[in-house]
């Protein structure tokens, strides 16, 4: 895919795409080897926080881009590259053959079977997650990952068995992603049964566009807080505005505080009179 096509197919699938890095369209490692023919989609987790810049720039020992797309917790897919990227490394030949044949089972990667240059043959996504098994994948993020993989498969005419995790291809024992790839493939397959626009993301035009001040006023002036049953007006006014509830609570606390202070003063006075 060209960079423009890549963005187009992702958006058509309902992925929220960001082109934060203006140079991403020509940001690649093509000078180090071929890009394509492509055979599949490779899923990673970042194993860190705030990894977007790292995925774009890379490390001193591994130059960027480190994937084609970075996926944030909120489901935003930031484009990193439309060419060769340093993400897959050597892929076990037996794992690669299963992807090419779109087999329903994916064997444990075997170095003995030989290797292929994964960076030449796989699209890669880095999903922001610590990979500990305890760091959650929010629904928006997981859904976006499914859509991202499905978009690429749909464009190339692949089925969900062209989608693998790094842990299913790596001869180096990579553990990512930390979720169940069989379930992920089922979710991609379910997505591919419908059209690209099916189950699309919410229409942003229908969302409220409010300033923080407007949100505050809308909440504080809303007459929807249940009134306390002990209130003298409870029978005729069973809901209060939030701001009135807070003010009433403050006044009662102030009364109690003043009373406690007066009682404390009397106790101190009495204690001084007792021989």
């Amino acid at each position: 895919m060209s960079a423009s096509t890549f963005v187009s197919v992702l958006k058509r699938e309902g992925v929220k795409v960001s082109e934060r890095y203006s140079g991403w369209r020509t940001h690649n490692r093509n000078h180090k080897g071929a890009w394509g023919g492509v055979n599949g989609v490779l899923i990673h987790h970042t194993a860190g926080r705030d990894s977007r810049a790292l995925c774009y720039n890379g490390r001193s020992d591994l130059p960027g881009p480190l994937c084609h797309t970075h996926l944030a917790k909120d489901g935003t897919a930031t484009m990193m590259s439309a060419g060769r990227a340093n993400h897959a490394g050597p892929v076990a030949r037996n794992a690669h053959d299963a992807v090419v044949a779109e087999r329903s089972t994916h064997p444990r990667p075997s170095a003995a079977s030989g290797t292929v240059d994964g960076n030449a043959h796989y699209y890669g996504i880095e999903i922001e997650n610590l990979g500990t098994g305890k760091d959650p994948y929010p629904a928006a993020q997981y859904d976006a990952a499914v859509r991202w993989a499905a978009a690429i498969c749909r464009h190339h005419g692949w089925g969900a068995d062209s989608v693998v995790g790094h842990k299913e291809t790596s001869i180096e024992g990579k553990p990512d992603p930390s979720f169940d790839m069989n379930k992920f493939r089922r979710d991609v397959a379910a997505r591919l049964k419908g059209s690209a626009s099916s189950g699309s993301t919410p229409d942003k035009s229908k969302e409220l566009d409010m300033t923080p001040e407007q949100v505050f006023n809308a909440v504080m002036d809303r007459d929807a807080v249940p009134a306390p049953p002990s209130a003298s007006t409870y029978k005729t006014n069973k809901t209060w505005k939030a701001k009135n509830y807070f003010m009433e609570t403050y006044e009662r606390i102030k009364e109690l505080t003043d009373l406690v202070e007066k009682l404390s003063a009397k106790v101190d006075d009495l204690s001084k009179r007792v021989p």
Side-chain angles (χ1 to χ4, degrees), residues 6 10 67-71 77-81 124-126 148:
F6 202 168
L10 292 180
C67 58
H68 293 92
T69 307
H70 170 273
L71 189 63
T78 301
M79 303 308 295
M80 301 275 142
S81 181
I125 189 170
E126 284 283 358
W148 184 88

Side-chain angles (χ1 to χ4, degrees), residues 20-41:
R20 176 188 181 93
Y21 298 103
S22 59
W24 79 270
R25 292 168 179 261
T26 56
H27 186 49
N28 56 59
R29 304 294 295 169
N30 291 3
H31 61 289
K32 289 293 185 179
W35 166 235
V38 287
N39 300 108
V41 176

Side-chain angles (χ1 to χ4, degrees), residues 52-71:
R52 183 177 56 199
L54 175 64
C55 288
Y56 189 80
N57 297 313
R59 311 187 303 260
S60 59
D61 62 325
L62 190 65
L66 302 185
C67 58
H68 293 92
T69 307
H70 170 273
L71 189 63

Side-chain angles (χ1 to χ4, degrees), residues 147-174:
R147 290 171 184 269
W148 184 88
I152 297 172
C153 289
R154 194 187 302 278
H155 174 79
H156 286 288
W158 300 334
D161 287 315
S162 289
V163 181
V164 283
H166 200 192
K167 60 188 175 185
E168 296 177 302
T169 65
S170 172
I171 61 170
E172 303 163 308
K174 300 292 185 180

Side-chain angles (χ1 to χ4, degrees), residues 42-48 87-88 108-109 126 129-133 137 164-181:
L42 198 56
I43 309 298
H44 308 264
H45 64 234
T46 62
H87 72 102
R108 183 186 298 274
E126 284 283 358
N129 192 276
L130 293 177
T132 60
Y137 294 87
V164 283
H166 200 192
K167 60 188 175 185
E168 296 177 302
T169 65
S170 172
I171 61 170
E172 303 163 308
K174 300 292 185 180
D176 53 322
S178 54
F179 52 70
D180 183 347
M181 280 304 303

Side-chain angles (χ1 to χ4, degrees), residues 83 153 202 217 228 254 262:
C153 289
N217 290 333
K254 182 70 167 56
K262 291 178 181 179

Side-chain angles (χ1 to χ4, degrees), residues 11-264:
K11 288 183 175 181
R12 191 157 55 244
E13 201 73 38
V15 178
K16 182 171 64 175
V17 176
S18 168
E19 295 186 72
R20 176 188 181 93
Y21 298 103
S22 59
W24 79 270
R25 292 168 179 261
T26 56
H27 186 49
N28 56 59
R29 304 294 295 169
N30 291 3
H31 61 289
K32 289 293 185 179
W35 166 235
V38 287
N39 300 108
V41 176
L42 198 56
I43 309 298
H44 308 264
H45 64 234
T46 62
R49 298 193 190 281
D50 301 320
S51 305
R52 183 177 56 199
L54 175 64
C55 288
Y56 189 80
N57 297 313
R59 311 187 303 260
S60 59
D61 62 325
L62 190 65
L66 302 185
C67 58
H68 293 92
T69 307
H70 170 273
L71 189 63
K73 289 283 190 181
D74 68 356
T76 300
T78 301
M79 303 308 295
M80 301 275 142
S81 181
R84 182 185 176 93
N86 279 333
H87 72 102
V91 167
R93 169 64 69 177
N94 67 325
H96 178 70
D97 289 346
V99 171
V100 173
E102 291 195 299
R103 296 179 191 140
S104 58
T105 58
H106 294 269
R108 183 186 298 274
S110 169
S113 68
T115 61
V116 298
D117 179 4
N119 294 337
H121 298 287
Y122 290 85
Y123 295 96
I125 189 170
E126 284 283 358
I127 304 173
E128 188 77 19
N129 192 276
L130 293 177
T132 60
K134 297 180 179 179
D135 186 15
Y137 294 87
Q141 184 185 42
Y142 183 84
D143 177 66
V146 170
R147 290 171 184 269
W148 184 88
I152 297 172
C153 289
R154 194 187 302 278
H155 174 79
H156 286 288
W158 300 334
D161 287 315
S162 289
V163 181
V164 283
H166 200 192
K167 60 188 175 185
E168 296 177 302
T169 65
S170 172
I171 61 170
E172 303 163 308
K174 300 292 185 180
D176 53 322
S178 54
F179 52 70
D180 183 347
M181 280 304 303
N182 287 320
K183 178 184 182 304
F184 187 78
R185 276 187 286 271
R186 289 196 296 271
D187 292 337
V188 172
R191 176 90 203 153
L192 289 171
K193 287 181 180 178
S195 64
S197 60
S198 64
S200 57
T201 52
D203 183 358
K204 296 294 182 181
S205 66
K206 296 180 181 179
E207 293 186 2
L208 292 177
D209 183 12
M210 303 173 70
T211 66
E213 182 179 7
Q214 289 171 328
V215 172
F216 175 83
N217 290 333
V219 172
M220 297 302 287
D221 277 330
R222 180 166 179 167
D223 189 357
V225 180
S230 59
S232 60
T233 60
Y234 180 72
K235 290 185 178 180
T236 57
N237 185 22
K238 294 193 175 184
T239 59
W240 291 4
K241 291 183 178 181
K243 64 181 182 182
N244 293 342
Y245 210 122
F246 288 141
M247 289 301 298
E248 183 76 10
T249 302
Y250 172 80
E251 293 296 338
R252 294 293 173 263
I253 293 174
K254 182 70 167 56
E255 289 176 5
L256 288 172
T257 301
D258 292 345
L259 180 59
V260 168
E261 289 179 353
K262 291 178 181 179
L263 290 174
S264 295

